[in-house]
Amino acid sequence: MEDWSARQYLKFEDERTRPPRDLLAQVPLQKPRLVVDLGCGPGNSTELLVERFPQSEVIGLDSSPDMLRKARERLPKCKFMQDDIATWIPDPRTDLIFGNAVMQWLPDHPAIMRRLLQAMPAGGVLAIQMPDNTREPALMFQREVGEGGPWRDHPEIKAAPREDLPSPEAYYDLLKPVCSAIDIWHIIYNHVMASQEAITEWFKGSSLQPFLSPLDASAREKFLAAYTKKIIDAYKPRFDGKVLLRFPRLFIIAVR
Ligand SMILES: C[S@@+](CC[C@H](N)C(=O)[O-])C[C@H]1O[C@@H](n2cnc3c(N)ncnc32)[C@H](O)[C@@H]1O
């Protein structure tokens, strides 16, 4: 991933922190020795982990210096490290690996999840949440605008759309052989957005980034205008002018 804009991401902090709360609520641990927040971002998910496990060592890991700087400002007592999840190896004391809204960015994430589980001690928990929204209009429009404009042949734009997540059955077959218990579920949120344009703002902090980062300022504006036009056509305001952003997410808790 290119560097993420922490400020853009945090514009919708309340909504973005709801899924990690829902994930953490199902983690069956009392006093994990070491907790690692994979893809900790600006530290919002790390903060939840520190609150829930005040006696544990909690470490945030991210590849983005911008995100890590924000996370360190937010939680000065916490340890943060820059690393790539694809190659990171957990310490044998890691009782909880928490990955909220990050694994979907790693092309081979199911194999990485299996490798991480295998490296964990018995009873250790791998807790993962990923957006499962590639079939939602807001994500389909990103692909359509990417394929429809003058930027269509740019290799980074061609590679920008996210693949669909594998099915729950595929995760089960891959992970269950290396864990004692597994829980897989979906939640569909309906986030209340202030306007249709707010949907563009939301995705500028996440899945639009790979489309926008290869473009210069003028092309970026054109991309966003074409995208917002499609959003306005598809996401109609409610009686009070607000807009609902339907957002399905997949949750997995696997116990080693
Ligand atoms: C959508 S944010 C999630 C932030 C936070 N965990 C939360 O719950 O809101 C995803 C984060 O994953 C990080 N990331 C993406 N790919 C990564 C990788 N291969 N290794 C480490 N961090 C990665 C990004 O830099 C970004 O901060």
Side-chain angles (χ1 to χ4, degrees):
M1 283 305 308
E2 288 304 306
D3 212 18
W4 287 59
S5 160
R7 200 158 35 91
Q8 188 68 32
Y9 188 71
L10 285 174
K11 277 189 186 165
F12 299 93
E13 177 170 0
D14 287 350
E15 291 83 354
R16 287 203 153 114
T17 306
R18 172 87 181 273
R21 283 186 199 286
D22 291 340
L23 178 64
L24 186 55
Q26 301 305 324
V27 169
L29 291 173
Q30 297 300 327
K31 272 194 206 161
R33 289 166 296 173
L34 176 58
V35 175
V36 180
D37 187 17
L38 289 188
C40 62
N44 50 321
S45 46
T46 322
E47 190 166 73
L48 297 179
L49 293 165
V50 170
E51 282 168 11
R52 161 89 185 262
F53 301 116
Q55 293 164 0
S56 305
E57 184 183 354
V58 178
I59 298 179
L61 180 153
D62 206 286
S63 53
S64 152
D66 185 34
M67 287 292 192
L68 287 169
R69 193 170 35 76
K70 274 270 183 283
R72 287 190 181 109
E73 279 169 22
R74 183 178 187 136
L75 298 168
K77 289 189 189 146
C78 207
K79 187 173 160 194
F80 290 95
M81 57 186 185
Q82 188 174 354
D83 211 331
D84 182 353
I85 296 162
T87 48
W88 173 72
I89 295 168
D91 179 292
R93 290 179 309 123
T94 315
D95 290 329
L96 173 60
I97 297 179
F98 193 84
N100 185 68
V102 59
M103 293 309 264
Q104 73 278 4
W105 289 115
L106 287 111
D108 202 15
H109 75 259
I112 296 169
M113 285 167 62
R114 187 179 153 107
R115 170 178 72 73
L116 293 176
L117 254 180
Q118 284 176 303
M120 294 185 81
V125 171
L126 176 70
I128 300 292
Q129 181 281 122
M130 291 172 280
D132 196 1
N133 61 344
T134 42
R135 298 288 157 164
E136 293 299 308
L139 269 274
M140 309 265 278
F141 296 159
Q142 295 174 6
R143 183 187 287 267
E144 284 172 25
V145 176
E147 288 170 353
W151 38 72
R152 70 174 73 85
D153 293 326
H154 195 300
E156 283 183 52
I157 303 257
K158 278 181 151 176
R162 252 187 17 234
E163 299 288 319
D164 293 346
L165 289 186
S167 65
E169 289 81 1
Y171 285 110
Y172 185 92
D173 286 346
L174 183 75
L175 300 179
K176 187 63 185 57
V178 295
C179 63
S180 59
I182 188 162
D183 190 2
I184 306 174
W185 73 102
H186 280 92
I187 296 179
I188 300 176
Y189 300 92
N190 290 286
H191 297 300
V192 179
M193 310 299 283
S195 65
Q196 295 158 309
E197 289 77 9
I199 296 183
T200 303
E201 284 302 307
W202 171 292
F203 288 109
K204 269 166 72 180
S206 55
S207 54
L208 274 173
Q209 287 260 340
F211 293 93
L212 300 178
S213 55
L215 301 177
D216 63 27
S218 137
R220 207 174 279 188
E221 259 179 47
K222 289 194 182 100
F223 191 107
L224 287 173
Y227 178 68
T228 305
K229 186 173 178 313
K230 285 178 182 280
I231 292 286
I232 287 172
D233 289 344
Y235 289 82
K236 295 299 177 199
R238 307 322 317 152
F239 78 96
D240 57 357
K242 304 269 202 266
V243 182
L244 293 186
L245 174 61
R246 199 186 110 97
F247 206 129
R249 294 179 180 269
L250 176 72
F251 294 75
I252 301 178
I253 288 198
V255 182
R256 178 71 168 138

